[in-house]
Amino acid sequence: MVKIINPDGMVSIASEVFMNIVGDAATRCFGVKGMVALQKENGLYQLLRRESMGKGVSVTFDEDGTVSVALHIAVDQGVNLAAVGRSIINEVTYKVAQATGVPVKRVDVYVDGVLID
């Protein structure tokens, strides 16, 4: 949880808020099929539905007041993975900073699957 203190009071932002913002920003990028989560029982990856996409995201709150994000995605076949990764990093960094006012230190994107239509 991040706490922002100003002269008028304090605002606390839960990690789930960051996870939902990150998941939404990432899935809106071209070539991204969705967020992915690892199933602990069998070690297989599962494509998440829109309402639970935050499960494919982990957020770390750094001591310097920034956040670091790691997200797991599945992409369309044939997309340029480097371009998709750059797009996600830019979009997530912008959306998190815009919505929360908290700067993003690092965004790690893990491509866990390629889906064929």
Side-chain angles (χ1 to χ4, degrees):
M1 181 174 292
V2 169
K3 293 183 181 179
I4 302 169
I5 300 172
N6 64 37
D8 296 326
M10 180 182 71
V11 176
S12 297
I13 305 172
S15 60
E16 290 80 14
V17 173
F18 288 95
M19 293 164 64
N20 287 328
I21 293 169
V22 169
D24 182 61
T27 55
R28 292 182 186 274
C29 291
F30 175 79
V32 177
K33 273 294 199 196
M35 304 302 295
V36 175
L38 177 66
Q39 293 180 342
K40 293 179 182 175
E41 310 86 51
N42 54 16
L44 296 175
Y45 288 96
Q46 173 188 14
L47 189 63
L48 298 171
R49 294 185 178 166
R50 188 110 178 115
E51 53 275 352
S52 62
M53 69 179 124
K55 292 181 182 175
V57 178
S58 65
V59 177
T60 306
F61 301 106
D62 302 314
E63 292 179 11
D64 60 356
T66 61
V67 295
S68 296
V69 177
L71 57 135
H72 296 263
I73 61 167
V75 297
D76 288 321
Q77 180 185 16
V79 297
N80 182 321
L81 297 178
V84 170
R86 278 191 305 273
S87 174
I88 291 171
I89 290 168
N90 291 335
E91 188 71 10
V92 165
T93 302
Y94 173 74
K95 292 288 185 177
V96 169
Q98 178 191 34
T100 65
V102 177
V104 177
K105 182 178 194 176
R106 181 182 181 100
V107 178
D108 294 322
V109 180
Y110 298 94
V111 178
D112 293 328
V114 176
L115 300 179
I116 303 168
D117 285 331

